[in-house]
Amino acid sequence: MLGRNTRWVVGALALVCLVLIGPSATRDDLPDAEPLPAGAAAKIVPNRVMTWNICNPCGAKENAGRAADIATYAPQVIGLQEACVRDVERIRDYLRRLYGLVYHVTYGSVLRNWSRCGGLPWHAGGYGQAILSAAPATDGVTKEYPDGGSEDRGFMAVTTEVDGRPVRVFNTHLAERRQEAVRARQVPVLAEEIARHDRAIVLGDFNAVPDSPELRPIRPLATDADPRCRPSAGGACAPTTDWQSKFDYVFLRGIASRAHHVRPSAHSDHHMFYADLSPL
């Protein structure tokens, strides 16, 4: 009797685990590859870098579409924000198996969130930033800001290759849009780390429009890949969100931008913002 009860308990626990964890990322149940539009990149573009906040709509059902969007432009380096580890794993798998694009991934999770990222209640999924890089990444660090605002926020950094040369890449997500005072305390922490490097690429969702005072510590260190968004340009910036605000940035230190593009997506309320860099 004890053995039968034990087997029943084990079976019930296994069923609960399947419900909580969801489908395994290793299952061989790939969706049909979404056809890429005419002019899509045929392979990874070695001097292209992208930033993209991928949540809202959130969830695994968006991952195939996100992978197709990334494959269309095939950057060398991609900084993702509001990223669950399981979602990034699946996106990376789709990119490799559906489109032949192979990326290394480095995670910069700053919190565990069961309701958002799944997992067991006592072992919730990691949530925060991630960097996908075509070349291997080394010296990865993840730092939380002393004050995250309404939820934990931070930045990550890796050293990888862009256009065949090593460069330090940062990826961040600052406090929510109405938390200006919190962002003003976060940016100097990030700026101090950027200043340690002669050449750096800074990607992220800064939750701040270009003339926001909290961005001032970054301006002397790195320039916006969109020249219309530089303080001296006096032009109109291309919005990077569905609500017509510029929140997403590619800042460059010791590197010049040759071109930049903003591409809307049905799989996020943030647009993909990418830059093609001049030879490094």
Side-chain angles (χ1 to χ4, degrees):
M1 182 65 70
L2 180 60
R4 180 178 300 175
N5 288 340
T6 301
R7 288 193 297 272
W8 184 91
V9 170
V10 170
L13 287 174
L15 180 60
V16 170
C17 288
L18 286 173
V19 172
L20 291 174
I21 296 174
S24 169
T26 61
R27 283 174 53 189
D28 192 18
D29 56 353
L30 290 176
D32 293 333
E34 294 192 15
L36 301 183
K43 59 183 179 180
I44 289 174
V45 182
N47 66 332
R48 180 171 292 172
V49 297
M50 173 190 283
T51 185
W52 193 19
N53 182 320
I54 62 173
C55 192
N56 197 17
C58 308
K61 67 180 181 180
E62 304 294 332
N63 289 334
R66 292 169 182 153
D69 285 344
I70 291 172
T72 298
Y73 307 107
Q76 174 79 7
V77 171
I78 308 144
L80 301 177
Q81 303 88 43
E82 292 201 57
C84 292
V85 168
R86 286 184 178 86
D87 289 334
V88 176
E89 287 175 342
R90 185 55 67 91
I91 291 168
R92 180 194 183 198
D93 192 45
Y94 289 163
L95 286 167
R96 177 179 62 86
R97 299 173 67 185
L98 295 177
Y99 303 104
L101 302 176
V102 178
Y103 286 97
H104 303 267
V105 62
T106 307
Y107 296 102
S109 299
V110 293
L111 59 88
R112 298 281 173 177
N113 192 308
W114 175 58
S115 62
R116 187 177 299 186
C117 295
L120 298 171
W122 56 89
H123 188 62
Y127 173 81
Q129 289 75 247
I131 290 176
L132 299 179
S133 55
T138 60
D139 302 321
V141 299
T142 299
K143 293 188 178 181
E144 289 191 39
Y145 293 118
D147 182 0
S150 55
E151 70 176 18
D152 295 350
R153 295 287 167 93
F155 70 89
M156 62 180 300
V158 301
T159 298
T160 187
E161 288 186 0
V162 175
D163 203 17
R165 295 190 60 188
V167 64
R168 194 68 170 166
V169 178
F170 294 84
N171 183 19
T172 192
H173 188 193
L174 299 187
E176 292 182 355
R177 70 180 80 173
R178 295 181 179 87
Q179 299 177 356
E180 295 88 348
V182 178
R183 293 196 300 274
R185 294 190 291 272
Q186 293 173 341
V187 173
V189 177
L190 175 61
E192 182 178 359
E193 294 298 321
I194 296 170
R196 300 177 186 273
H197 302 273
D198 294 332
R199 298 189 313 122
I201 298 168
V202 186
L203 311 170
D205 174 3
F206 284 72
N207 272 318
V209 295
D211 60 354
S212 299
E214 58 264 34
L215 296 185
R216 288 174 185 165
I218 293 218
R219 297 295 186 183
L221 300 174
T223 57
D224 196 314
D226 183 348
R228 294 174 299 177
C229 293
R230 297 171 189 171
S232 60
C237 299
T240 65
T241 64
D242 286 354
W243 55 94
Q244 298 300 304
S245 293
K246 158 83 169 179
F247 277 5
D248 305 272
Y249 295 83
V250 175
F251 286 114
L252 303 172
R253 176 171 171 82
I255 304 168
S257 173
R258 182 170 55 82
H260 70 279
H261 304 273
V262 176
R263 301 292 188 233
S265 169
H267 306 289
S268 174
D269 58 358
H270 284 252
H271 307 337
M272 295 170 284
F273 178 39
Y274 69 88
D276 293 333
L277 308 183
S278 297
L280 274 64

